[in-house]
Amino acid sequence: MKSDNVKKGMQQAPHRSLFNALGYTKEELDRPLVGIVSSYNEIVPGHMNLDKIVNAVKMGVAMAGGTPVMFPAIAVCDGIAMGHIGMKYSLVTRDLIADSTEAMALAHQFDALVMVPNCDKNVPGLLMAAARINVPTIFVSGGPMLAGHVKGQKRSLSSMFEAVGSYAAGTMTEEDVCEFENKVCPTCGSCSGMYTANSMNCLTEVLGMGLPGNGTIPAVYSERIRLAKHAGMQVMELYRKNIRPRDIMTKEAILNALTVDMALGCSTNSMLHLPAIAHEIGMDFEIDFANGISAKTPNLCHLAPAGPTYMEDLNEAGGVYAVMNELNKKNLLNTECMTVTGKTVGENIAGCVNKNPEVIRPIDNPYSQTGGLAVLKGNIAPDGSVVKRSAVVEEMLVHEGPARVFECEEDAITAIKGGQIHPGDVVVIRYVGPKGGPGMPEMLNPTSAIAGMGLGSSVALITDGRFSGASRGASIGHVSPEAAVGGPIALIEEGDIIEIDIPNLKLNVRVSDEELVARKEKWQPREPEVTTGYLARYASMVTSGNRGAVLEIPR
């Protein structure tokens, strides 16, 4: 046992004395030590139930012959952090989570791990850590929130943000907003649409790191507690068989995840997190992979914000495995990949029935023949940009209009809500990338304001920042290189004509190459807004959005 390094032999007598101080018995120390990484806190709605999940996991581990030992991981609520300095601290926690979990697991020599995450950066951070540490590991998330009900319709957090825009447009009263406020988030859990948290929890299943139902069983269902107990039991099977994360999270598994991402219509943030996870296993992930996979992968689901269905509906329809089984009808998945069930993908999904073709379209009747995400390139984004194609209305798939340029999110919101943005405009928000933000903040407030003002089918937004999974419309993010390093998005001027062609994967500004060169010669880098603390260190080490905003030591 790896934990023998801190338990066995005369040299470890001082270590054992410290275990004695913790109340551990000899019988417990004779068993494998299983670290339970708990993301429980009292500020994230998706995490307020994780104490119950952790207790269930601990019971499962103990029943199967292990000694469970809990330690914490941090998590930020993107919704509460949205629209102020807090949003700079969201993406950056992914690396803090991975680093701190690596430190705890290796410092204490755990034999196996159970990761208990739920929300946005918490899941990829722990997947990155699992790949680094590479001891037998399983994931069990806290589960999604149930949808709210307002005026007879299911609603979610994206509806809430858009309601604020509708109020600014005069199409909703303060009383209406208050009703949304009190009803759209009715339970604990990760927000109820296919936003980033649920995207990553579903993709954890696809990667093979979570048991079936990990991404879709609602947080308030007792079935989630049973799942947690089974996860605790199953990690001991993984330990006995020595099945490790790098046996499971292979290149083929990453490509499976990207394929199911296309079918589900996941958050654009997955195009930051999958490259970062791939980086940990030594895979060179080019975001262009997305277009090749999208070209052959039909989009089968329109979950909120792309459509009127929610995670609870996906769960009832058969969950992630039912989607995978539809895709397998056209041999779109590598079915030989190993998973934490101890079985292959093919064995797991065999016979998983699509119980609701309105929620999961059959493979021969998709929403579109191509996937939910697209990577656009052109003279604005030579290294790429990302759009959630499945959430773009048809009339905006091809669009051109004048650039309305803003150097920060706040100025853009003021202009949108002040009626200064008009149909046809292309809002450009720059200097909000990984280095420029720093931290690549989400632009949910601007996209929600555009939708709420009734401009969702006539106004586009491009940014070197990123979007919440709750964003919809012609919202193009991750523009690389970013403005802070002199990327072409920094050279766009007010009134330049922007050309967006999503079907043909193009994003251009109608300006000659010679003019762009002349503008680049005049361009001066901006002084960094943050010069101390973690954000400053992060900005000095972070790479561009097209590489997953991974951290590298400056050379």
Side-chain angles (χ1 to χ4, degrees), residues 1-2 111-112 133-137 234-248 338-339:
M1 282 186 285
K2 188 174 184 176
D111 297 298
I133 300 160
N134 204 35
V135 298
T137 301
Q234 186 60 24
V235 79
M236 297 309 299
E237 276 298 300
L238 297 173
Y239 170 75
R240 283 186 274 271
K241 294 177 180 177
N242 197 29
I243 298 174
R244 305 184 182 204
R246 287 185 211 162
D247 300 323
I248 294 170
M338 178 51 63
T339 73

Side-chain angles (χ1 to χ4, degrees), residues 243-255:
I243 298 174
R244 305 184 182 204
R246 287 185 211 162
D247 300 323
I248 294 170
M249 288 193 287
T250 60
K251 176 179 179 179
E252 291 74 21
I254 296 281
L255 295 179

Side-chain angles (χ1 to χ4, degrees), residues 44-46 77-82 87 119-120 145-150 154-165 180-187 189-198 304-305 310 442 444-445 447-448 468-472:
V44 184
C77 177
D78 277 22
I80 295 174
M82 193 71 64
M87 184 39 65
C119 290
D120 295 26
M145 184 183 290
L146 294 178
H149 291 264
V150 183
K154 284 186 177 182
R155 296 291 191 176
S156 62
L157 184 64
S158 55
S159 307
M160 183 71 253
F161 277 92
E162 290 177 15
V164 175
F180 271 75
E181 183 180 327
N182 285 300
K183 293 182 177 179
V184 296
C185 296
T187 72
S190 47
C191 298
S192 55
M194 188 54 81
Y195 311 144
T196 306
N198 292 325
Y310 294 81
E442 290 182 344
L444 176 57
N445 276 340
T447 58
S448 298
S468 164
S471 292
R472 62 186 176 95

